[in-house]
Amino acid sequence: MKFTLWEIGSYLVIIGFWAFFLKVIKRNVTGDILVGAIMGFFLEFSTEPVADYHFKITIYKDLPLIIPFAWGMMFALTTYLSEKLYSRLFHKTSVLLHDKRILILDLLIGLCVGFPLETVGTHAGVWNYNATAIGWTLGTIPLFQMPWETLISYALIMLIGPTFVRYWQAAFEGRI
């Protein structure tokens, strides 16, 4: 029953996130979430042995349908917050093409968004890592009790995911 509530809650959070951005922030993040979900599906499909999930609605082995959309939400939020911080720090109205500073902001914001969500999901038991099967040996991060490899993976993912979303989001919203 616990995981059923987590699963239902996860869908509601993503729908609520989308509606909040649409109604309150006045930003359509449909494309962001869809493109981020594509990236999320790639990540989860390619790393399927890393974790065992405990949700009912799955799309491949034990990979829940909601997880790629959770990645989409994380990438959408990271992209939005990175762009807002970029505008504030560098006094620009939009991200300049090929400005590498956005990568650092994506990495920092992405870690602040994704790693806490990963930590909550892990400690709630929504998934379990197969750390011994994949050879994670760097130990755990004090206070968080999370594998160092998780933090490193998030840092590397956030160097590419938000850029992918930023590039393709408009196409998935019919703006180009």
Side-chain angles (χ1 to χ4, degrees):
M1 182 64 176
K2 170 181 142 180
F3 296 125
T4 302
L5 294 176
W6 271 97
E7 190 166 8
I8 292 167
S10 298
Y11 283 101
L12 293 175
V13 165
I14 293 180
I15 292 166
F17 171 86
W18 174 79
F20 176 79
F21 265 78
L22 198 60
K23 301 292 183 190
V24 176
I25 307 274
K26 307 288 188 223
R27 177 171 169 154
N28 184 359
V29 292
T30 304
D32 303 57
I33 293 172
L34 291 175
V35 173
I38 291 169
M39 178 68 109
F41 182 72
F42 164 77
L43 293 167
E44 293 295 332
F45 184 84
S46 62
T47 62
E48 192 278 328
V50 171
D52 291 323
Y53 288 99
H54 306 294
F55 284 170
K56 298 275 188 245
I57 303 171
T58 61
I59 53 177
Y60 176 70
K61 295 187 179 182
D62 70 337
L63 173 60
L65 174 64
I66 193 63
I67 295 298
F69 288 102
W71 277 106
M73 180 190 73
M74 284 190 292
F75 286 136
L77 185 56
T78 297
T79 302
Y80 175 78
L81 293 174
S82 292
E83 290 172 1
K84 287 296 181 192
L85 187 57
Y86 178 94
S87 294
R88 181 160 295 226
L89 289 176
F90 306 119
H91 309 290
K92 307 287 182 196
T93 56
S94 63
V95 176
L96 297 176
L97 191 61
H98 305 298
D99 188 345
K100 293 161 196 68
R101 297 177 293 188
I102 194 67
L103 293 174
I104 301 302
L105 296 177
D106 286 346
L107 183 143
L108 295 174
I109 297 294
L111 285 175
C112 290
V113 169
F115 190 70
L117 292 173
E118 184 80 15
T119 302
V120 168
T122 300
H123 290 303
V126 173
W127 57 81
N128 301 82
Y129 293 123
N130 294 321
T132 54
I134 56 177
W136 283 359
T137 59
L138 294 178
T140 58
I141 301 168
L143 183 68
F144 293 100
Q145 295 306 306
M146 292 286 287
W148 278 103
E149 288 87 348
T150 306
L151 183 67
I152 294 165
S153 296
Y154 263 90
L156 294 171
I157 289 165
M158 291 306 170
L159 286 173
I160 56 170
T163 299
F164 182 74
V165 168
R166 199 173 281 115
Y167 183 82
W168 285 104
Q169 64 191 355
F172 279 74
E173 293 170 1
R175 290 188 279 139
I176 58 171

